[in-house]
Amino acid sequence: VKRQLGQLLNDGGDTDQAAQLQKQLLSIGLDQLYVAFFPTSMKYMTLFQNGSNDRIVDDEKAQRRRKDVWNKIKEGLLKQLQS
């Protein structure tokens, strides 16, 4: 995705497509943070369905839990930066 975005920007390509690729790149980066820094004290919540690239659609309860996970990840990263 990063390579495609760079090539598109160098070629002066479609800005809508570039925005879509940037959004996709951000999503990939956030997924990597989620996996790398998921709190070990919590049961893991998978991002994708078994063996596919299809994201899991969370119900309201799961959305709240995932938000709590992100808050714990942020807290952990801030503690690491401060120490």
Side-chain angles (χ1 to χ4, degrees):
V1 173
K2 186 176 180 180
R3 194 174 316 145
Q4 290 173 334
L5 179 60
Q7 186 176 24
L8 184 66
L9 293 175
N10 286 338
D11 295 343
D14 183 12
T15 56
D16 289 337
Q17 187 178 3
Q20 179 77 16
L21 288 172
Q22 286 174 329
K23 185 177 178 181
Q24 189 177 358
L25 192 59
L26 176 62
S27 177
I28 291 168
L30 289 173
D31 289 348
Q32 289 176 336
L33 283 174
Y34 180 87
V35 171
F37 294 101
F38 194 92
T40 56
S41 61
M42 300 179 79
K43 183 177 178 190
Y44 185 74
M45 295 178 64
T46 187
L47 294 171
F48 302 96
Q49 293 179 0
N50 294 336
S52 74
N53 290 332
D54 298 330
R55 288 183 82 61
I56 290 190
V57 178
D58 292 331
D59 61 10
E60 192 173 320
K61 182 178 177 182
Q63 287 175 355
R64 283 193 308 269
R65 185 164 174 248
R66 200 173 299 274
K67 186 176 181 179
D68 289 342
V69 168
W70 272 113
N71 287 335
K72 288 191 184 298
I73 290 171
K74 289 175 194 174
E75 289 172 13
L77 290 174
L78 287 174
K79 284 181 185 177
Q80 286 182 7
L81 288 173
Q82 293 171 350
S83 58

